[in-house]
Amino acid sequence: DEYLLIVNKPAGMLSVPGKTGQASVLSILQERYPDATGPILVHRLDMATSGLLLAAKDKDTHALLQKQFEGRTVKKRYIALLDGTPQGKEPKGFIRLPIRPDYDNRPLQMVCFEYGKPAVTRYEIIGVIQSEAKNLTRIAYYPETGRTHQLRVHSAHPDGMNCPIVGDPLYGQTADRLYLHAERLEFRHPITDQRMHITKEAPF
């Protein structure tokens, strides 16, 4: 509408411009909406992650949406494929593992109970995909905090799901893509006050 828009970012595209000069969601939006003011993008996704990104067309709308993210009233649902089947995990639950940067291995993040920032992910195991080669687990994630690589770390860590996301070159093994998709966004429209529910199903 005239205040905001939502983008379905493909896997492999940057949210904001990087050092390489390749196209990003932000650069495309700036080109398409030259009259837009302010930072435009309200949040970001990792380059390897696909899915829904919220953008504002003016700085006032951006500020109001940002407040919702800061207040954790925006609800997000991600779909992922895990490489393996989690052992000893309830079908639904929480992962609470604090995260900080791995300063010796950037851009990796690591679990650290001494210096890490709180990171909480609610999960729901949807089902297991069995094949001759290996088993994969389809899972829904509902992050309650927004740490860098939070879902990727919580998937791979032994105290998390102990199964990396399929195609994760940092915490697992490379594949044709990272099988992580931001499928659903729920937020309050800052102008109309309407509760918005936006879904774009995972392409896998």
Side-chain angles (χ1 to χ4, degrees), residues 84-86 125-130 135-138:
T85 51
I125 295 173
I126 299 172
V128 175
I129 303 164
Q130 295 181 319
N135 292 340
L136 305 177
T137 301
R138 191 172 184 85

Side-chain angles (χ1 to χ4, degrees), residues 6-12 43-53 76-82 126 138-143 151-152 155 165-166 177-185 198-204:
I6 294 179
V7 174
N8 179 30
K9 186 186 87 65
H43 61 122
R44 301 179 186 184
L45 292 174
D46 290 346
M47 180 177 177
T49 304
S50 61
L52 298 177
L53 271 178
K76 293 177 280 186
R77 170 185 163 107
Y78 289 74
I79 296 295
L81 286 184
L82 302 184
I126 299 172
R138 191 172 184 85
I139 194 167
Y141 283 134
Y142 306 87
L151 301 182
R152 298 164 73 169
S155 296
I165 296 174
V166 174
R177 64 158 291 174
L178 176 71
Y179 281 76
L180 177 63
H181 178 78
E183 180 184 69
R184 187 171 177 85
L185 269 179
I198 312 296
T199 302
K200 178 62 179 174
E201 291 184 1
F204 50 80

Side-chain angles (χ1 to χ4, degrees), residues 64-65 67-76 186-188 195:
L64 291 168
L65 289 169
K67 277 186 181 177
Q68 293 186 48
F69 274 88
E70 290 167 0
R72 298 182 185 173
T73 59
V74 177
K75 305 298 182 189
K76 293 177 280 186
E186 294 182 27
F187 60 96
R188 183 179 51 78
R195 191 73 188 169

Side-chain angles (χ1 to χ4, degrees), residues 3-24:
Y3 302 104
L4 56 85
L5 60 95
I6 294 179
V7 174
N8 179 30
K9 186 186 87 65
M13 177 179 276
L14 290 165
S15 294
V16 298
K19 296 175 182 176
T20 59
Q22 68 189 95
S24 66

Side-chain angles (χ1 to χ4, degrees), residues 1-4 7-8 24 52 60 76 81 83-84 90 92 97 110 117 124 146 154 167 169 174 181 193 197:
D1 62 19
E2 60 185 297
Y3 302 104
L4 56 85
V7 174
N8 179 30
S24 66
L52 298 177
D60 293 336
K76 293 177 280 186
L81 286 184
D83 192 356
E90 296 293 325
K92 297 180 181 180
L97 295 172
M110 63 185 291
K117 292 183 178 179
E124 180 182 0
H154 280 181
T174 305
H181 178 78
D193 210 35
H197 304 263

